């Protein structure tokens, strides 16, 4: 994940039915963002195992909205960043979901997202030379391994000049030393995943759609179905 990158970029897309993800959300009392993050953790685990790499927790930067309900109609972005450990190392999909939920809930409970906003605002007040250094440090691979961003979208169809929008894949920028970012966009009855990567630095990104399919099925299927999936995957899921 954290290697020198060049100028080449590729966008790998995958679409998942939203209904099964929402069902998992309701069944386990978590958020859709928790479910999506757990699916990403499962996919990265699949990719690591298939290439003989020991799955380890990954530090992910997750952009979150800090807009208050009464600010719903105001203009501009009000975004902060939270950092959580993505439980790639956990074999059980439900355990990955619970660990993800616990991590995101801790940030909400402690108010650390609001604290992150204060830090970001303070960086903007620094003199230019220090601001450049601080920005480089904040985007360092020592701080996080990859960015995973979930963008809520409309549940109704959108049109442009009479043409219906079918799918939309987010492009989340990658910083130096970060070979992959993953964006998610919920639209109508589907969740669109966009893996943005340097294909030379991370050629295994081509496996992301298949890995996401397995991770989503593993999380949303019944127990017996999960056993069959593990058997197909050689017991590595």
């Amino acid at each position: 994940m954290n290697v020198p990158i060049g100028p080449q970029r590729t966008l790998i897309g995958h679409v998942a039915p939203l209904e099964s993800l929402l069902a998992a959300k309701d069944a386990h009392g978590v958020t859709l963002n928790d479910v999506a993050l757990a699916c990403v953790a499962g996919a990265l685990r699949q990719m690591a195992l298939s290439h003989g790499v020991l799955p380890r927790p990954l530090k992910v930067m997750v952009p979150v909205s800090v807009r208050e309900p009464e600010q719903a109609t105001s203009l501009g972005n009000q975004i902060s960043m939270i950092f959580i450990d993505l439980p790639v190392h956990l074999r059980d999909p439900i355990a990955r979901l619970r660990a993800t939920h616990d991590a995101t809930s801790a940030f909400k409970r402690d108010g650390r997202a609001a604290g992150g906003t204060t830090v970001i605002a303070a960086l903007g007040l620094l003199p230019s030379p220090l601001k450049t250094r601080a920005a480089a440090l904040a985007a360092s691979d020592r701080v996080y391994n990859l960015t995973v961003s979930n963008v809520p979208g409309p549940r109704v169809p959108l049109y442009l000049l009479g043409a219906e929008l079918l799918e939309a894949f987010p492009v989340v920028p990658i910083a130096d030393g970060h070979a992959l970012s993953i964006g998610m966009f919920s639209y109508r009855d589907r969740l669109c995943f966009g893996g943005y990567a340097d294909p030379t630095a991370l050629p295994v990104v081509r496996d992301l759609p298949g890995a996401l399919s397995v991770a989503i099925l593993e999380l949303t299927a019944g127990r017996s179905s999960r056993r069959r999936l593990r058997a197909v995957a050689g017991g590595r899921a």
Side-chain angles (χ1 to χ4, degrees), residues 42-138:
L44 294 177
R45 176 181 174 83
Q46 290 285 335
M47 292 168 63
L49 289 171
S50 65
H51 291 275
V53 177
L54 180 66
R56 294 180 297 174
L58 293 174
K59 182 74 73 176
V60 298
M61 180 175 71
V62 183
V64 296
S65 174
V66 293
R67 187 187 300 274
E68 298 294 338
E70 61 270 16
Q71 299 172 315
T73 59
S74 60
L75 299 178
N77 292 325
Q78 297 186 36
I79 301 295
S80 183
M81 306 295 174
I82 67 172
F83 297 87
I84 66 170
D85 288 327
L86 203 63
V88 179
H89 63 298
L90 297 180
R91 178 175 181 174
D92 183 81
I94 305 304
R96 287 195 297 266
L97 178 59
R98 299 310 313 178
T100 300
H101 175 69
D102 290 345
T104 58
S105 297
F107 263 93
K108 296 174 185 176
R109 184 173 58 250
D110 298 343
R112 282 179 279 174
T117 303
T118 303
V119 171
I120 292 172
L123 291 177
L125 301 176
L126 292 173
S128 293
L130 292 179
K131 188 187 302 183
T132 301
R133 284 187 172 186
L137 178 61

